[in-house]
Amino acid sequence: DEWYNMCDKVQTGWSYAARNLKTTTGWGPYNGYDTEGFSALPAGVRFGADNYDYVGKRAYFWTATDKASEKASYVEFRLDYATPINGTEYKKSGLSVRCVKDSE
């Protein structure tokens, strides 16, 4: 829910949410605007013990949603996509984490 709320806040309907959450550097010609100070960097993903992929090209963030016993949901930002992508990945993979502090 936090991902949907944040993306809707920066751009109604997610249409340009990824662009507004990306850093202003690091994405080459597809740099973002970082309007909320989130500063998403293209850290890529880790599959298995030593298989890193998409470094400098994509950012993957876990969500809190389990889809199946071995998989969970993620939100992905790509170089030339202005809209975030939703998907599922094996939990043993290495994706970035967004920490959210609960309001008191």
Side-chain angles (χ1 to χ4, degrees):
D1 288 341
E2 286 91 0
W3 274 105
Y4 287 105
N5 291 339
M6 181 173 66
C7 288
D8 279 342
K9 178 184 176 190
V10 299
Q11 189 67 43
T12 304
W14 282 44
S15 57
Y16 293 98
R19 184 174 63 183
N20 290 334
L21 296 172
K22 290 179 185 177
T23 57
T24 57
T25 61
W27 294 88
Y30 303 104
N31 286 329
Y33 299 137
D34 201 15
T35 59
E36 301 301 310
F38 182 71
S39 305
L41 290 166
V45 62
R46 180 186 49 81
F47 300 111
D50 295 318
N51 184 12
Y52 294 87
D53 207 355
Y54 302 114
V55 176
K57 297 178 181 176
R58 298 180 185 178
Y60 294 82
F61 294 92
W62 287 119
T63 70
T65 306
D66 281 339
K67 287 294 185 185
S69 61
E70 295 181 343
K71 290 187 173 185
S73 295
Y74 67 82
V75 173
E76 172 188 354
F77 300 158
R78 293 187 180 183
L79 281 177
D80 55 347
Y81 282 48
T83 303
I85 298 167
N86 294 312
T88 59
E89 183 55 57
Y90 288 101
K91 294 177 185 178
K92 62 184 177 181
S93 298
L95 281 67
S96 298
V97 177
R98 173 182 177 254
C99 297
V100 178
K101 182 178 179 181
D102 290 334
S103 60
E104 297 180 29

